[in-house]
């Protein structure tokens, strides 16, 4: 270093401060070339650390330190943590080609509008690595001055130089890509954006592909920035102030920082809040720019020796003074440097020299001051001193630009590598599928969209089961219905087995957007539809059909009935059109009185209500269709036994209910396995699956679909309140790829849920599960908030988000959802927005008829029975339409040759269009659509039990159809 440079540094005016801004020469993928240097730029993937255990974090931190020492040793590096914004147009581009059924463009636009309204930030972590100096600094300055004077530039980048630099970038990319950072080459447009946003504090269009040079580079840097003592003012092209920006320096750190905890000083950038004039918390957007160098052992030892020698000289100089006293700090420094050198030599300790800066921007000077105060207070609570760089704003800001260099070296630190990388600049929250529909957003330290495709498992060669777990009324069924809707828009066959009778709203949403749909009530008119002899292949039916008939019999007849029922089934299978009704007729005509008694008992059960669906005279009608679309299957009057009750104690109506359920499940299994149907995507949704897991039939059905789903292209979406029962089905557990966990209370269920999540059963995680659906005020429910485990076993907190108010109203599963009887009328927002996630709660007024709304919706769009025909070679697309009663219109059927759905109903007016302007959404981080409601656990559970397990069988109406009569 020249004597002049030393003198300038002594007075705090280093030569670096006087350098001109960097002049850009070229930008390519992963490469930034300026007059003075060339840099490689990479994007670091977000690591999912918010819910990681300490052991997992320690292992990842050790891996990061080791990788940095190996790959980045003595390289000048530049770390930038910046924020972009998720846009609706980006979302539409990302799902292009994914949807194909109904008015899928309007469905995608509805979600895109919601994304634009949320204005959700998106974090980018970029790493720049110095590759080479292009020319000595002095020569660069001289040539630059001559070029400016002549109005030309002598700076060009040759093809040979570009090829050489590109090879070095790709080598670094391979090395960094294999680390815990999962780094990948930054596209040219991202590098351009990193530069232009500093000049404009906003988005500037840049060429999307290829090498960026010449006029394009000039546009990127065409801006005006005026520095002041403690801030900068950035002007737009019209001369108006676009932003006020302040660059803060992190000047002092504690001697020890804990991680996880206060040591994560870069990960916590998204957690900084300020208080507005109304006393509400608002997010402060803080970006980071850190120039650092990981020191090799040789460099570190040299630096430590120099520091120790300097301290030693100061100690000797003080000893020669009149006081002959040595400052304690000097002695302590000598001792620490000796220990550090010993650790470097023996234990492989590595050091990092870093210069952290924080950039805060606002639209006004007053807001900027409030944001800066919030940042200083946030870090003061962690023992870290942050201060505005007084009279250094220009140099600190230039220092943050890609392509520039360190300009204020005296505001830096030398620390252990663990203290620097323990800032967890790459940590946060990241979860979900890489592509596909968005189902909500992250609520951890790094906001972002969460993508979930229920049908993606088979295409990826992965398992195909998705599980929604949690207490009643937390939003799990609503989330499952949203996943089913996305699958239906993508062209899948989506049957939803609605055991509670409150999921008709999802069919209303599908109809609103032109997806083939119907609410199908399996009643006496579908006699024989759940007959296993008609549903299953002959070999399977020979075993399963007798079991179904035996289930109908009272316990005292089962011992004597097994052999006659099996014999009659064998005989009936030989007939041209075998059916369980034929088996019953054979039993009634038998010579043995005991056999006839069995036959008469079965005949008495199947001649009324749902019994005819199981084993009544075949009507030739099929209750279900195999066409793409969303089909809600309801069984009015179906009464299932309590999961805790023994089969011997089941009442006749409970036995009929289980037999009917067995037939429906068998039909689904058979349909998903049909050879001519295997090429289609299939998503089977079963809410309240805890009603099945404790029955042999239900457990067998779930196990089969889960195990063979990938081969058959069939996905299984389940929701349940009982994770403990899921754990008892190891075949099902092994096939779970994605899990959404809502709150639970009991120790057994909480620990079972944590086991499924792959998290330890410790107090912090138990508390998280119990409180995941509790709002900040502690007295209301945060509907739709959950813990997600994706197919890569990553775990993070997620908010399920309904894309519009209209969709929320249609999805409501309480009696208020009867508004869909008049879909052509605008839906006026009530004084208090309804709660879209109250899918499982029954209010006091609804306990007598918990399925009233579902029945009303079913009347509006129930599919009429159709003849059971083989699957045609060309898909038959049926269209269900909503009608306004009374009177109900005649049934309409789409022509079987139409490949696209036909819309029988006129489109709704503009006010009711799904992507119209009448939607109302809360701001980011507000509660979901609708107010939080105080949750009454006892009332909810009582209503749920009464709804699912009524004391008396549901009577049939006068015509024996089995439909409920609703009394006003």
């Amino acid at each position: 270093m020249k004597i002049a440079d030393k003198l300038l540094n002594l007075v705090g005016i280093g030569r670096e401060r006087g350098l001109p801004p960097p002049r850009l020469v070229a930008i390519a993928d992963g490469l930034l070339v300026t007059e003075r240097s060339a840099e490689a730029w990479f994007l670091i993937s977000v690591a999912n650390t918010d819910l990681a255990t300490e052991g997992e974090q320690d292992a990842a931190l050790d891996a990061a330190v080791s990788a940095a020492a190996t790959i980045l040793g003595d390289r000048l590096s530049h770390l930038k943590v910046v924020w972009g914004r998720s846009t609706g147009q980006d979302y539409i581009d990302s799902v292009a080609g994914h949807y194909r059924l109904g008015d899928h463009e309007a469905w995608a636009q509805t979600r895109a509008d919601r994304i634009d309204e949320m204005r959700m930030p998106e974090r980018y972590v970029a790493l720049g690595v110095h590759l080479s100096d292009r020319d000595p600094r002095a020569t660069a300055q001289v040539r630059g001055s001559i070029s400016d004077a002549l109005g030309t530039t002598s700076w060009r980048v040759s093809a040979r130089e570009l090829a050489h630099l590109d090879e070095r970038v790709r080598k670094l990319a391979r090395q960094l890509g294999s680390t815990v950072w999962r780094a990948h080459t930054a596209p040219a447009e991202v590098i351009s954006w990193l530069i232009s946003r500093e000049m404009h504090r906003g988005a500037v269009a840049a060429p999307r592909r290829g090498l960026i040079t010449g006029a394009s580079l000039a546009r990127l840097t065409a801006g005006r920035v005026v520095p002041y003592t403690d801030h900068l003012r950035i002007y737009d092209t019209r001369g108006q102030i676009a932003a006020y920006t302040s660059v803060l320096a992190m000047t002092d750190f504690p001697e020890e920082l804990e991680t996880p905890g206060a040591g994560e000083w870069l990960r916590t950038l998204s957690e900084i809040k300020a208080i507005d004039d109304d006393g509400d918390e608002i997010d402060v957007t803080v970006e980071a720019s850190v120039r650092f160098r990981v020191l090799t052992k040789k460099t570190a030892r040299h630096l430590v020796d120099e520091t120790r020698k300097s301290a030693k000289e100061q100690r000797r100089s003080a000893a020669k003074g009149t006081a002959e006293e040595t400052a304690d700090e000097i002695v302590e420094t000598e001792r620490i440097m000796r220990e550090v050198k010993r650790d470097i030599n023996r234990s492989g300790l590595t050091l990092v020299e870093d210069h952290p800066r924080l950039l805060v921007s606002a639209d006004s000077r007053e807001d900027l001051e409030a944001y800066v105060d919030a940042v200083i207070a946030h870090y003061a609570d962690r023992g870290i001193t942050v201060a505005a760089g007084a009279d250094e704003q220009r140099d600190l800001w230039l220092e943050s630009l890609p392509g520039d260099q360190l300009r204020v070296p005296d505001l830096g630190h030398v620390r252990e590598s663990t203290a620097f990388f323990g800032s967890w600049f790459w940590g946060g929250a990241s979860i979900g599928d890489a592509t596909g529909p968005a189902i909500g957003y992250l609520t951890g330290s790094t906001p972002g969209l969460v993508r979930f495709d229920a049908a993606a498992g088979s295409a990826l060669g992965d398992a195909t089961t998705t599980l929604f777990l949690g207490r009643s009324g937390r939003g799990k069924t609503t989330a499952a219905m949203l996943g089913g809707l996305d699958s239906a828009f993508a062209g899948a066959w989506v049957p939803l087995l609605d055991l509670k009778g409150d999921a008709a709203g999802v069919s209303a949403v599908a109809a609103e957007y032109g997806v083939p749909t119907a609410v199908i009530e399996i009643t006496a008119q579908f006699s024989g539809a759940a007959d296993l002899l008609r549903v299953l292949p002959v070999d399977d039916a020979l075993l399963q059909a007798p079991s179904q008939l035996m289930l109908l019999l009272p316990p005292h007849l089962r011992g004597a009935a097994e052999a006659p029922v099996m014999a009659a089934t064998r005989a009936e299978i030989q007939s041209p059109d075998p059916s369980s009704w034929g088996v019953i007729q054979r039993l009634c005509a038998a010579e043995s009185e005991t056999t006839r008694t069995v036959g008469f008992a079965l005949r008495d059960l199947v001649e009324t209500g749902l019994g005819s669906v199981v084993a009544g005279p075949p009507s030739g009608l099929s209750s279900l269709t195999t066409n793409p679309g969303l089909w809600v299957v309801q069984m009015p009057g179906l009464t299932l036994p309590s999961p805790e009750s023994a089969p011997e104690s089941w009442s006749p109506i409970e036995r009929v209910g289980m037999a009917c359920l067995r037939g429906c499940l068998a039909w689904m299994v058979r349909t998903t396995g049909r050879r001519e149907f295997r090429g289609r995507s299939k998503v089977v949704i079963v809410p309240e699956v805890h009603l099945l897991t404790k029955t042999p039939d239900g457990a067998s059905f779930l196990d089969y679909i889960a195990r063979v789903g990938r081969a058959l292209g069939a996905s299984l979406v389940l929701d349940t309140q009982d994770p403990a029962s899921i754990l008892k089905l190891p075949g099902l557990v092994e096939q779970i790829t994605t899990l959404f966990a809502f709150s639970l209370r009991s120790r057994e269920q909480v620990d079972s849920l944590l086991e499924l999540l792959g998290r330890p059963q410790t107090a912090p995680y138990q508390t998280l599960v119990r409180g995941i659906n509790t709002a900040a005020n502690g007295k209301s429910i945060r509907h739709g908030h959950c813990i997600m485990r994706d197919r890569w076993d990553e775990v993070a907190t997620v908010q399920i988000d309904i894309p519009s108010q209209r969709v929320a109203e249609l999805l409501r599963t309480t009696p208020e959802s009867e508004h869909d009887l008049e879909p052509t009328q605008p839906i006026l927002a009530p004084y208090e927005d309804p709660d879209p996630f109250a899918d499982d709660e029954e209010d006091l007024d609804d306990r007598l008829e918990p399925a009233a709304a579902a029945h009303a919706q079913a009347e509006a769009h129930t599919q009429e029975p159709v003849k059971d025909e083989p699957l045609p070679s060309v898909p038959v697309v049926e269209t269900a339409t909503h009608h306004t009663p009374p009177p109900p219109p005649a049934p309409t059927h789409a022509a079987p040759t139409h490949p696209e759905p036909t819309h029988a109903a006129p489109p709704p007016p503009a006010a009711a269009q799904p992507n119209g302007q009448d939607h109302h959404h809360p701001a980011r981080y507000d509660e979901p659509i609708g107010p939080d409601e105080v949750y009454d656990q006892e009332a909810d559970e009582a209503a749920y039990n009464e709804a699912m397990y009524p004391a008396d069988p549901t009577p049939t109406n006068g015509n024996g159809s089995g439909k409920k009569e609703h009394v006003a």
Side-chain angles (χ1 to χ4, degrees), residues 122 184 258 270 289 374 411 612 770 842 850 855:
E122 185 176 10
H184 57 278
E258 293 184 1
S270 62
S289 172
L411 294 178
S612 63
R770 290 191 179 100
E842 292 84 11
H855 184 77

Side-chain angles (χ1 to χ4, degrees), residues 52-86:
T53 64
E54 290 190 22
E56 291 169 341
Q57 288 204 27
D58 289 343
L61 181 57
D62 291 342
V65 170
S66 176
T70 304
I71 302 171
L72 302 178
D74 275 347
R75 291 179 180 268
L76 298 176
S77 303
H78 187 190
L79 177 70
K80 286 188 70 68
V81 181
V82 299
W83 296 93
R85 193 171 299 283
S86 300

Side-chain angles (χ1 to χ4, degrees), residues 17 70 80 88 119 165 187 217 225 249 276 302 305 311 424 487 502 518 717 747 809 863 866:
R17 287 174 166 87
T70 304
K80 286 188 70 68
R119 297 178 57 83
L165 293 173
L217 288 179
V225 180
D276 63 12
H302 176 74
D305 284 339
W424 280 99
S487 298
D502 62 356
V717 177
R747 177 66 176 268
E809 291 168 346
Q863 174 180 293
V866 295

Side-chain angles (χ1 to χ4, degrees), residues 75-152:
R75 291 179 180 268
L76 298 176
S77 303
H78 187 190
L79 177 70
K80 286 188 70 68
V81 181
V82 299
W83 296 93
R85 193 171 299 283
S86 300
T87 66
Q89 185 58 50
D90 289 341
Y91 175 74
I92 290 177
D93 294 341
S94 70
V95 296
H98 179 80
Y99 295 132
R100 60 180 62 91
L101 199 61
D103 192 1
H104 55 83
E105 293 180 352
W107 177 250
Q109 187 63 52
T110 302
R111 175 64 73 181
D113 291 343
R114 173 63 171 151
I115 292 171
D116 285 335
E117 196 161 353
M118 286 191 294
R119 297 178 57 83
M120 182 178 298
E122 185 176 10
R123 191 181 76 170
Y124 292 85
V125 180
L127 176 65
V129 181
H130 182 81
L131 294 177
S132 62
D133 291 324
R134 300 192 68 230
D135 210 34
R137 184 182 304 163
T139 305
Q141 289 179 340
V142 171
R143 290 187 179 182
S145 301
I146 295 174
S147 301
D148 290 342
L150 297 176
T152 61

Side-chain angles (χ1 to χ4, degrees), residues 19 57 109 151 254 360 366-367 371 409 460 537 568 621 629 639-640 705 753 763 882:
L19 290 175
Q57 288 204 27
Q109 187 63 52
V360 184
E366 293 76 14
D367 287 344
Y371 294 168
L460 294 173
L621 300 179
T639 301
L640 298 177
I705 293 292
L753 181 55
H882 288 267

Side-chain angles (χ1 to χ4, degrees), residues 37-56:
S37 64
E39 295 178 349
W41 279 91
F42 307 93
L43 291 178
I44 293 177
S45 301
V46 177
N48 197 48
T49 62
D50 281 358
L51 298 183
T53 64
E54 290 190 22
E56 291 169 341

